[in-house]
Amino acid sequence: MIIREQNEHFTCIAQVDHAFLSGEMLKHLNTVYFEHAPYKDSVIYAAYQHDCGWDAFDRQPFWNDQKDLPYSFIDFPPIPKTVLYTHGIQQVQKKDSYAALLCSEHYKRFLVNSSLPEAKTFVQQEAERQEWLISQMEHFNQDRFEMDYTLLQFSDNLSLFVCMNEPGAADKDLHPFFKEGLSVSNTATALPSDYSISWTDTKTVTMDPFPFSSDFSITLTYKNISKKSIQQQGIIDVYEHAPVLSQTIWIKSRNE
C-alpha cells in the first residue's frame, strides 16, 4: 500500500491500483520505444500486474505500531514481502511467462543485497524460475529483455510519482524519492533516463522529456481513512468500509 498522511486522515492507495496506472502509462508510450519489443503486450501486461501479489494484504491493511500509521510498501516487513512477491509472480506466470520473467526480475532486484536468509532463498528461487522460463522461450534475447525491464521500471517510477506525492505539491514538498526528478537505470534502450517532472496544479503532471505519443489522462483510485475512526474501530474495519474515491490526472509535456 502507498500511504500519504494528512492531519486528520491517511490517503491509502492499493498497490494494484498503482500498478494499473503503470500499465495505462505504458499503453501511451511512444511506439518508437517498443520497436525492439516482440513481447510488447507482455511488457504492458507486466506493468498492469506487477504488484498483484499485494492485493490480499492491501484489502486488510497492517498497522505499524512503531510509527503509528499503516504499513506502506516501503516499510512493510521483508519476510512477508517474499511471500507476497512469490504469490504475485506465480499469478502472472499462469497468464504470461514473459511478463512473469519481468516481474521476477523486478522483485529479485529489490532483495538481492539483503542478508536475511528468507531473502536469499527468494533470490535463489527467482534465479531458478528465470532460468526455467527462459529455457521455454524460443526467441529470448537478453538485450531486449533489459530494454523491456527498463520500460517496466519507468512506468513503475512514474506511477509512484503520481501516487506518493500530494496532487499539486510544490517541487520542494515532493517525496524524497523525486527531489532530483525521475530517473531510471537505463543503458539498454533509447528511452530517456532522466526527467524533470512537476505538478503544475492538482490535476496535471508535466514532464520533460516527454516520451509519450500525446498528452493523456489517468484515473487514480484511493481511500481516505480517518485517524480518529481507526482509534475507535481499528484499521481493518475502517478501511473496508471507507468509500472508494477517484481523481483524474493529466500527464502532459512541459514544453507545450
Side-chain angles (χ1 to χ4, degrees), residues 215-237:
D215 297 346
F216 64 97
S217 66
I218 52 177
T219 300
L220 172 65
T221 57
Y222 60 97
K223 289 186 175 185
N224 287 335
I225 57 174
S226 161
K227 293 179 179 180
K228 183 177 180 180
S229 297
I230 292 171
Q231 293 175 347
Q232 295 172 340
Q233 302 166 234
I235 185 171
I236 292 178
D237 185 67

PDB file of all heavy atoms in Angstrom, residues 215-237:
ATOM      1  N   ASP A 215      -0.480  13.883 -24.940  1.00  0.00           N
ATOM      2  CA  ASP A 215      -0.995  14.045 -23.587  1.00  0.00           C
ATOM      3  C   ASP A 215      -2.075  12.994 -23.326  1.00  0.00           C
ATOM      4  O   ASP A 215      -2.799  12.591 -24.243  1.00  0.00           O
ATOM      5  CB  ASP A 215      -1.614  15.435 -23.399  1.00  0.00           C
ATOM      6  CG  ASP A 215      -0.614  16.563 -23.567  1.00  0.00           C
ATOM      7  OD1 ASP A 215       0.604  16.293 -23.570  1.00  0.00           O
ATOM      8  OD2 ASP A 215      -1.060  17.715 -23.691  1.00  0.00           O
ATOM      9  N   PHE A 216      -2.197  12.571 -22.069  1.00  0.00           N
ATOM     10  CA  PHE A 216      -3.229  11.588 -21.746  1.00  0.00           C
ATOM     11  C   PHE A 216      -3.626  11.728 -20.282  1.00  0.00           C
ATOM     12  O   PHE A 216      -2.907  12.331 -19.474  1.00  0.00           O
ATOM     13  CB  PHE A 216      -2.746  10.167 -22.035  1.00  0.00           C
ATOM     14  CG  PHE A 216      -1.583   9.714 -21.188  1.00  0.00           C
ATOM     15  CD1 PHE A 216      -1.780   8.944 -20.045  1.00  0.00           C
ATOM     16  CD2 PHE A 216      -0.274  10.058 -21.536  1.00  0.00           C
ATOM     17  CE1 PHE A 216      -0.712   8.530 -19.268  1.00  0.00           C
ATOM     18  CE2 PHE A 216       0.801   9.645 -20.770  1.00  0.00           C
ATOM     19  CZ  PHE A 216       0.572   8.876 -19.634  1.00  0.00           C
ATOM     20  N   SER A 217      -4.772  11.160 -19.959  1.00  0.00           N
ATOM     21  CA  SER A 217      -5.259  11.199 -18.576  1.00  0.00           C
ATOM     22  C   SER A 217      -5.281   9.795 -17.981  1.00  0.00           C
ATOM     23  O   SER A 217      -5.413   8.799 -18.701  1.00  0.00           O
ATOM     24  CB  SER A 217      -6.656  11.816 -18.507  1.00  0.00           C
ATOM     25  OG  SER A 217      -7.602  10.998 -19.166  1.00  0.00           O
ATOM     26  N   ILE A 218      -5.137   9.745 -16.672  1.00  0.00           N
ATOM     27  CA  ILE A 218      -5.250   8.507 -15.911  1.00  0.00           C
ATOM     28  C   ILE A 218      -6.209   8.765 -14.753  1.00  0.00           C
ATOM     29  O   ILE A 218      -6.433   9.917 -14.372  1.00  0.00           O
ATOM     30  CB  ILE A 218      -3.888   8.040 -15.369  1.00  0.00           C
ATOM     31  CG1 ILE A 218      -3.194   9.183 -14.612  1.00  0.00           C
ATOM     32  CG2 ILE A 218      -3.008   7.508 -16.485  1.00  0.00           C
ATOM     33  CD1 ILE A 218      -1.878   8.810 -13.982  1.00  0.00           C
ATOM     34  N   THR A 219      -6.771   7.706 -14.196  1.00  0.00           N
ATOM     35  CA  THR A 219      -7.677   7.854 -13.063  1.00  0.00           C
ATOM     36  C   THR A 219      -7.110   7.102 -11.866  1.00  0.00           C
ATOM     37  O   THR A 219      -6.956   5.874 -11.902  1.00  0.00           O
ATOM     38  CB  THR A 219      -9.079   7.317 -13.397  1.00  0.00           C
ATOM     39  OG1 THR A 219      -9.606   8.055 -14.500  1.00  0.00           O
ATOM     40  CG2 THR A 219     -10.015   7.497 -12.198  1.00  0.00           C
ATOM     41  N   LEU A 220      -6.783   7.855 -10.835  1.00  0.00           N
ATOM     42  CA  LEU A 220      -6.237   7.303  -9.604  1.00  0.00           C
ATOM     43  C   LEU A 220      -7.372   6.992  -8.640  1.00  0.00           C
ATOM     44  O   LEU A 220      -8.201   7.856  -8.362  1.00  0.00           O
ATOM     45  CB  LEU A 220      -5.276   8.307  -8.965  1.00  0.00           C
ATOM     46  CG  LEU A 220      -4.740   7.976  -7.570  1.00  0.00           C
ATOM     47  CD1 LEU A 220      -3.867   6.725  -7.617  1.00  0.00           C
ATOM     48  CD2 LEU A 220      -3.953   9.159  -7.004  1.00  0.00           C
ATOM     49  N   THR A 221      -7.419   5.758  -8.141  1.00  0.00           N
ATOM     50  CA  THR A 221      -8.412   5.395  -7.131  1.00  0.00           C
ATOM     51  C   THR A 221      -7.714   5.206  -5.786  1.00  0.00           C
ATOM     52  O   THR A 221      -6.575   4.724  -5.715  1.00  0.00           O
ATOM     53  CB  THR A 221      -9.168   4.109  -7.509  1.00  0.00           C
ATOM     54  OG1 THR A 221      -8.234   3.046  -7.692  1.00  0.00           O
ATOM     55  CG2 THR A 221      -9.950   4.313  -8.793  1.00  0.00           C
ATOM     56  N   TYR A 222      -8.415   5.584  -4.719  1.00  0.00           N
ATOM     57  CA  TYR A 222      -7.809   5.580  -3.392  1.00  0.00           C
ATOM     58  C   TYR A 222      -8.901   5.617  -2.329  1.00  0.00           C
ATOM     59  O   TYR A 222     -10.100   5.772  -2.626  1.00  0.00           O
ATOM     60  CB  TYR A 222      -6.893   6.792  -3.229  1.00  0.00           C
ATOM     61  CG  TYR A 222      -7.586   8.135  -3.371  1.00  0.00           C
ATOM     62  CD1 TYR A 222      -8.013   8.847  -2.243  1.00  0.00           C
ATOM     63  CD2 TYR A 222      -7.829   8.697  -4.623  1.00  0.00           C
ATOM     64  CE1 TYR A 222      -8.662  10.069  -2.367  1.00  0.00           C
ATOM     65  CE2 TYR A 222      -8.462   9.916  -4.763  1.00  0.00           C
ATOM     66  CZ  TYR A 222      -8.876  10.601  -3.632  1.00  0.00           C
ATOM     67  OH  TYR A 222      -9.524  11.804  -3.759  1.00  0.00           O
ATOM     68  N   LYS A 223      -8.495   5.482  -1.072  1.00  0.00           N
ATOM     69  CA  LYS A 223      -9.393   5.646   0.056  1.00  0.00           C
ATOM     70  C   LYS A 223      -8.765   6.597   1.070  1.00  0.00           C
ATOM     71  O   LYS A 223      -7.545   6.575   1.273  1.00  0.00           O
ATOM     72  CB  LYS A 223      -9.676   4.303   0.740  1.00  0.00           C
ATOM     73  CG  LYS A 223     -10.551   3.354  -0.057  1.00  0.00           C
ATOM     74  CD  LYS A 223     -10.897   2.115   0.764  1.00  0.00           C
ATOM     75  CE  LYS A 223     -11.883   1.212   0.022  1.00  0.00           C
ATOM     76  NZ  LYS A 223     -12.314   0.067   0.865  1.00  0.00           N
ATOM     77  N   ASN A 224      -9.591   7.422   1.692  1.00  0.00           N
ATOM     78  CA  ASN A 224      -9.167   8.227   2.832  1.00  0.00           C
ATOM     79  C   ASN A 224      -9.745   7.610   4.100  1.00  0.00           C
ATOM     80  O   ASN A 224     -10.955   7.357   4.169  1.00  0.00           O
ATOM     81  CB  ASN A 224      -9.664   9.674   2.699  1.00  0.00           C
ATOM     82  CG  ASN A 224      -8.904  10.448   1.642  1.00  0.00           C
ATOM     83  OD1 ASN A 224      -7.761  10.125   1.325  1.00  0.00           O
ATOM     84  ND2 ASN A 224      -9.530  11.476   1.084  1.00  0.00           N
ATOM     85  N   ILE A 225      -8.885   7.335   5.071  1.00  0.00           N
ATOM     86  CA  ILE A 225      -9.358   6.733   6.317  1.00  0.00           C
ATOM     87  C   ILE A 225      -9.003   7.635   7.493  1.00  0.00           C
ATOM     88  O   ILE A 225      -7.878   8.084   7.648  1.00  0.00           O
ATOM     89  CB  ILE A 225      -8.804   5.302   6.514  1.00  0.00           C
ATOM     90  CG1 ILE A 225      -7.280   5.271   6.477  1.00  0.00           C
ATOM     91  CG2 ILE A 225      -9.366   4.371   5.447  1.00  0.00           C
ATOM     92  CD1 ILE A 225      -6.700   3.894   6.815  1.00  0.00           C
ATOM     93  N   SER A 226     -10.002   7.896   8.309  1.00  0.00           N
ATOM     94  CA  SER A 226      -9.897   8.826   9.425  1.00  0.00           C
ATOM     95  C   SER A 226      -9.037   8.267  10.551  1.00  0.00           C
ATOM     96  O   SER A 226      -9.213   7.121  10.979  1.00  0.00           O
ATOM     97  CB  SER A 226     -11.301   9.143   9.945  1.00  0.00           C
ATOM     98  OG  SER A 226     -11.270   9.667  11.248  1.00  0.00           O
ATOM     99  N   LYS A 227      -8.133   9.085  11.066  1.00  0.00           N
ATOM    100  CA  LYS A 227      -7.301   8.672  12.196  1.00  0.00           C
ATOM    101  C   LYS A 227      -8.157   8.429  13.438  1.00  0.00           C
ATOM    102  O   LYS A 227      -7.929   7.457  14.179  1.00  0.00           O
ATOM    103  CB  LYS A 227      -6.247   9.743  12.484  1.00  0.00           C
ATOM    104  CG  LYS A 227      -5.209   9.905  11.389  1.00  0.00           C
ATOM    105  CD  LYS A 227      -4.212  10.994  11.738  1.00  0.00           C
ATOM    106  CE  LYS A 227      -3.145  11.152  10.671  1.00  0.00           C
ATOM    107  NZ  LYS A 227      -2.164  12.207  11.000  1.00  0.00           N
ATOM    108  N   LYS A 228      -9.127   9.273  13.651  1.00  0.00           N
ATOM    109  CA  LYS A 228      -9.999   9.114  14.819  1.00  0.00           C
ATOM    110  C   LYS A 228     -10.789   7.812  14.736  1.00  0.00           C
ATOM    111  O   LYS A 228     -10.925   7.076  15.723  1.00  0.00           O
ATOM    112  CB  LYS A 228     -10.948  10.302  14.925  1.00  0.00           C
ATOM    113  CG  LYS A 228     -11.855  10.272  16.145  1.00  0.00           C
ATOM    114  CD  LYS A 228     -12.720  11.527  16.221  1.00  0.00           C
ATOM    115  CE  LYS A 228     -13.625  11.492  17.443  1.00  0.00           C
ATOM    116  NZ  LYS A 228     -14.477  12.715  17.514  1.00  0.00           N
ATOM    117  N   SER A 229     -11.282   7.505  13.553  1.00  0.00           N
ATOM    118  CA  SER A 229     -12.046   6.270  13.378  1.00  0.00           C
ATOM    119  C   SER A 229     -11.174   5.039  13.577  1.00  0.00           C
ATOM    120  O   SER A 229     -11.630   4.016  14.115  1.00  0.00           O
ATOM    121  CB  SER A 229     -12.688   6.237  11.993  1.00  0.00           C
ATOM    122  OG  SER A 229     -13.611   7.292  11.839  1.00  0.00           O
ATOM    123  N   ILE A 230      -9.921   5.117  13.150  1.00  0.00           N
ATOM    124  CA  ILE A 230      -9.008   3.986  13.353  1.00  0.00           C
ATOM    125  C   ILE A 230      -8.840   3.702  14.846  1.00  0.00           C
ATOM    126  O   ILE A 230      -8.855   2.548  15.288  1.00  0.00           O
ATOM    127  CB  ILE A 230      -7.642   4.272  12.704  1.00  0.00           C
ATOM    128  CG1 ILE A 230      -7.767   4.299  11.170  1.00  0.00           C
ATOM    129  CG2 ILE A 230      -6.604   3.222  13.117  1.00  0.00           C
ATOM    130  CD1 ILE A 230      -6.520   4.787  10.466  1.00  0.00           C
ATOM    131  N   GLN A 231      -8.714   4.759  15.645  1.00  0.00           N
ATOM    132  CA  GLN A 231      -8.571   4.588  17.090  1.00  0.00           C
ATOM    133  C   GLN A 231      -9.810   3.941  17.703  1.00  0.00           C
ATOM    134  O   GLN A 231      -9.723   3.161  18.651  1.00  0.00           O
ATOM    135  CB  GLN A 231      -8.312   5.941  17.750  1.00  0.00           C
ATOM    136  CG  GLN A 231      -6.961   6.555  17.389  1.00  0.00           C
ATOM    137  CD  GLN A 231      -6.791   7.949  17.965  1.00  0.00           C
ATOM    138  OE1 GLN A 231      -7.747   8.582  18.442  1.00  0.00           O
ATOM    139  NE2 GLN A 231      -5.562   8.459  17.940  1.00  0.00           N
ATOM    140  N   GLN A 232     -10.964   4.253  17.145  1.00  0.00           N
ATOM    141  CA  GLN A 232     -12.222   3.764  17.707  1.00  0.00           C
ATOM    142  C   GLN A 232     -12.587   2.371  17.214  1.00  0.00           C
ATOM    143  O   GLN A 232     -13.136   1.556  17.969  1.00  0.00           O
ATOM    144  CB  GLN A 232     -13.351   4.745  17.369  1.00  0.00           C
ATOM    145  CG  GLN A 232     -13.187   6.116  18.009  1.00  0.00           C
ATOM    146  CD  GLN A 232     -14.201   7.123  17.500  1.00  0.00           C
ATOM    147  OE1 GLN A 232     -14.796   6.948  16.432  1.00  0.00           O
ATOM    148  NE2 GLN A 232     -14.402   8.199  18.253  1.00  0.00           N
ATOM    149  N   GLN A 233     -12.297   2.075  15.935  1.00  0.00           N
ATOM    150  CA  GLN A 233     -12.803   0.852  15.311  1.00  0.00           C
ATOM    151  C   GLN A 233     -11.728  -0.117  14.856  1.00  0.00           C
ATOM    152  O   GLN A 233     -12.030  -1.282  14.585  1.00  0.00           O
ATOM    153  CB  GLN A 233     -13.668   1.212  14.089  1.00  0.00           C
ATOM    154  CG  GLN A 233     -14.854   2.112  14.393  1.00  0.00           C
ATOM    155  CD  GLN A 233     -15.452   2.707  13.124  1.00  0.00           C
ATOM    156  OE1 GLN A 233     -15.609   3.915  12.997  1.00  0.00           O
ATOM    157  NE2 GLN A 233     -15.769   1.834  12.176  1.00  0.00           N
ATOM    158  N   GLY A 234     -10.493   0.363  14.747  1.00  0.00           N
ATOM    159  CA  GLY A 234      -9.431  -0.468  14.189  1.00  0.00           C
ATOM    160  C   GLY A 234      -9.284  -0.246  12.697  1.00  0.00           C
ATOM    161  O   GLY A 234     -10.258   0.059  11.992  1.00  0.00           O
ATOM    162  N   ILE A 235      -8.087  -0.434  12.195  1.00  0.00           N
ATOM    163  CA  ILE A 235      -7.787  -0.041  10.822  1.00  0.00           C
ATOM    164  C   ILE A 235      -8.526  -0.895   9.790  1.00  0.00           C
ATOM    165  O   ILE A 235      -8.996  -0.377   8.770  1.00  0.00           O
ATOM    166  CB  ILE A 235      -6.260  -0.078  10.566  1.00  0.00           C
ATOM    167  CG1 ILE A 235      -5.970   0.464   9.154  1.00  0.00           C
ATOM    168  CG2 ILE A 235      -5.692  -1.464  10.778  1.00  0.00           C
ATOM    169  CD1 ILE A 235      -4.510   0.672   8.872  1.00  0.00           C
ATOM    170  N   ILE A 236      -8.654  -2.203  10.025  1.00  0.00           N
ATOM    171  CA  ILE A 236      -9.264  -3.050   9.004  1.00  0.00           C
ATOM    172  C   ILE A 236     -10.724  -2.684   8.785  1.00  0.00           C
ATOM    173  O   ILE A 236     -11.185  -2.528   7.651  1.00  0.00           O
ATOM    174  CB  ILE A 236      -9.105  -4.543   9.367  1.00  0.00           C
ATOM    175  CG1 ILE A 236      -7.633  -4.941   9.266  1.00  0.00           C
ATOM    176  CG2 ILE A 236      -9.956  -5.419   8.446  1.00  0.00           C
ATOM    177  CD1 ILE A 236      -7.360  -6.377   9.651  1.00  0.00           C
ATOM    178  N   ASP A 237     -11.477  -2.523   9.867  1.00  0.00           N
ATOM    179  CA  ASP A 237     -12.892  -2.183   9.735  1.00  0.00           C
ATOM    180  C   ASP A 237     -13.073  -0.829   9.056  1.00  0.00           C
ATOM    181  O   ASP A 237     -13.927  -0.683   8.162  1.00  0.00           O
ATOM    182  CB  ASP A 237     -13.557  -2.165  11.112  1.00  0.00           C
ATOM    183  CG  ASP A 237     -15.052  -1.931  11.026  1.00  0.00           C
ATOM    184  OD1 ASP A 237     -15.755  -2.811  10.501  1.00  0.00           O
ATOM    185  OD2 ASP A 237     -15.517  -0.852  11.467  1.00  0.00           O
TER     186      ASP A 237
END
